[in-house]
Amino acid sequence: MIDALAASTDRALFRDVTAWDVEAVTSDPDDLEHGFHVVVQTFEGELLAARMRSVVRHPTQPWWGSAALAAPPSRPAECDVEWRSSLSRDAYCDGVERIREHIAAGDVYQVNLCRTLTTDAALDLDVLFRGVLAHNPARHAARIDIAGLPQIVSASPEMYLAREGAVISSAPIKGTSTCPETMLAKDVTENVMITDLVRNDLQRVCVPGSVRVDPLLEMQQHPGLVHLVSTVWGEVCDGVTWARLLSATGPPGSVSGTPKRRALDVIESLEVGARGPYCGAIGWIDADRGAAELAVGIRTFWQKPAGGGAAAANGHGISSPSTHFGVGAGITWDSVPTAEWDETELKAHRLLAIARGAALEETP
């Protein structure tokens, strides 16, 4: 099976599941009711999903299919990669102050303010994914190389939606620091507000009285960071479709704000351009088994869909289009603009260093 996966140019690798060979690509959420689908939904709600013919579940062999990634060509250990930001430091700090003004006026309680980093450097996405697994392993790491879908290399630590039968869960991350001792009261406030938002979202599709939070404010260690994580559980009502689940809960609460609709208006007024897969949903839905695992698309590199997968073009997963990477922070009344900018830098630092090792020398 590894040989078959290596020969395929349409494949998706997740921690516990590997899928390849595409039957169809759809943008209609009603098509998710049958079969196994690799899913990418943008923050703005645009869906692209590929129904796959071949699926292997490997819960005891994390990222089983990674052995089938094309061998990288020879190159220096690292090359320079220049990234341009959709918001400058001054513009981002000004955005934090604008959000604080909205909070003072009673419009919102919290807003997630993001910026997108973009490079035109050629990155080998398979090598980048290997670097992620080696140096920034994350529970929801993923590599999606499917024609018609965005090219994805993700190191997401955050679960947006998981489902097993009637049980659904979401685990929002709010609160980031380098160690538990430097976590702030603001981080706790962020997490509690967003956990309440996610609880309200799940109540829209769950049996009344079944939604609970367990645990609340769990301190989790991640590569180079610690996060506060709360997990919200519920029992899905009979007859709720995947389309309904996605519309009721998206975009993820941790990367939008509260109240969600007003926060989205503020985000649109302050950010430059669409977020795309960043802060959207990345993962898989197995409608036949009533199972799913969709991550929040953070700590994620992505490229726009093209006519063919990167591996199809050259056999190595080498990319030439622009590659994007998003970073953001949750803004509350207690936010200090420069500190929020520094948090985005902290979140990006480790993964951008890994990307330098996946950059190719310029061709003369």
Side-chain angles (χ1 to χ4, degrees), residues 16 18 109 229:
D16 302 332
T18 298
Y109 304 109
V229 184

Side-chain angles (χ1 to χ4, degrees), residues 66-346:
S66 60
L69 294 175
S74 59
R75 67 188 65 139
E78 286 192 359
C79 296
D80 288 337
V81 179
E82 293 186 4
W83 297 89
R84 55 186 181 273
S85 176
S86 59
L87 292 174
S88 67
R89 186 177 188 274
D90 287 346
Y92 190 88
C93 290
D94 180 65
V96 174
E97 289 291 8
R98 295 272 299 279
I99 291 169
R100 294 184 72 252
E101 291 171 5
H102 282 290
I103 294 171
D107 295 337
V108 290
Y109 304 109
Q110 179 179 167
V111 175
N112 193 253
L113 183 63
C114 298
R115 58 193 180 97
T116 300
L117 307 178
T118 300
T119 183
D120 296 324
L123 302 181
D124 188 318
L125 298 185
D126 287 345
V127 171
L128 178 55
F129 185 60
R130 286 179 174 177
V132 164
L133 296 186
H135 304 295
N136 200 104
R139 176 63 184 84
H140 303 288
R143 170 74 171 108
I144 297 176
D145 179 12
I146 294 176
L149 270 64
Q151 286 280 314
I152 298 286
V153 172
S154 180
S156 176
E158 183 173 2
M159 179 175 52
Y160 162 43
L161 284 178
R163 183 173 183 178
E164 192 63 46
V167 178
I168 193 166
S169 60
S170 183
I173 288 176
K174 272 299 167 196
T176 300
S177 190
T178 55
C179 62
E181 292 75 21
T182 55
M183 197 72 72
L184 304 175
K186 166 193 173 289
D187 297 305
V188 173
T189 301
E190 276 190 71
N191 191 289
V192 170
M193 284 195 290
I194 293 304
T195 298
D196 189 55
L197 171 65
V198 172
R199 183 177 59 83
N200 288 336
D201 282 350
L202 290 191
Q203 284 177 337
R204 300 170 65 189
V205 292
C206 287
V207 174
S210 71
V211 177
R212 67 191 191 281
V213 180
D214 183 27
L216 175 67
L217 299 174
E218 178 184 13
M219 188 80 70
Q220 289 187 359
Q221 288 282 164
H222 296 266
L225 299 169
V226 292
H227 289 305
L228 290 177
V229 184
S230 299
T231 305
V232 187
W233 304 83
E235 181 182 343
V236 178
C237 294
D238 290 342
V240 172
T241 63
W242 291 103
R244 172 65 178 148
L245 280 171
L246 293 173
S247 66
T249 59
S254 64
V255 288
S256 52
T258 182
K260 184 183 282 188
R261 291 303 142 196
R262 186 66 184 104
L264 293 177
D265 291 339
V266 175
I267 288 169
E268 186 176 4
S269 72
L270 295 178
E271 294 186 11
V272 178
R275 293 185 185 179
Y278 172 61
C279 292
I282 297 171
W284 55 267
I285 292 173
D286 189 341
D288 297 337
R289 294 179 61 242
E293 189 171 290
L294 299 172
V296 180
I298 58 173
R299 320 288 157 82
T300 295
F301 299 88
W302 63 277
Q303 297 173 354
K304 294 179 180 179
N314 50 43
H316 288 299
I318 299 168
S319 68
S320 54
S322 297
T323 302
H324 311 279
F325 181 85
V327 285
I331 311 305
T332 67
W333 173 249
D334 293 328
S335 290
V336 176
T338 54
E340 299 297 350
W341 171 268
D342 291 344
E343 181 175 319
T344 68
E345 293 279 275
L346 174 65

Side-chain angles (χ1 to χ4, degrees), residues 1-88:
M1 284 188 290
I2 287 284
D3 290 340
L5 176 59
S8 174
T9 57
D10 288 312
R11 57 196 177 188
L13 281 63
F14 306 99
R15 179 185 175 90
D16 302 332
V17 177
T18 298
W20 66 100
D21 293 339
V22 174
E23 289 184 343
V25 174
T26 184
S27 59
D28 185 350
D30 290 335
D31 292 337
L32 300 176
E33 294 305 305
H34 301 285
F36 181 98
H37 294 264
V38 174
V39 173
V40 178
Q41 180 164 282
T42 68
F43 178 78
E44 293 75 27
E46 298 173 1
L47 174 76
L48 282 171
R51 189 172 69 247
M52 312 300 286
R53 291 189 183 91
S54 303
V55 181
V56 172
R57 295 171 182 81
H58 41 86
T60 62
Q61 295 177 283
W63 297 289
W64 166 84
S66 60
L69 294 175
S74 59
R75 67 188 65 139
E78 286 192 359
C79 296
D80 288 337
V81 179
E82 293 186 4
W83 297 89
R84 55 186 181 273
S85 176
S86 59
L87 292 174
S88 67

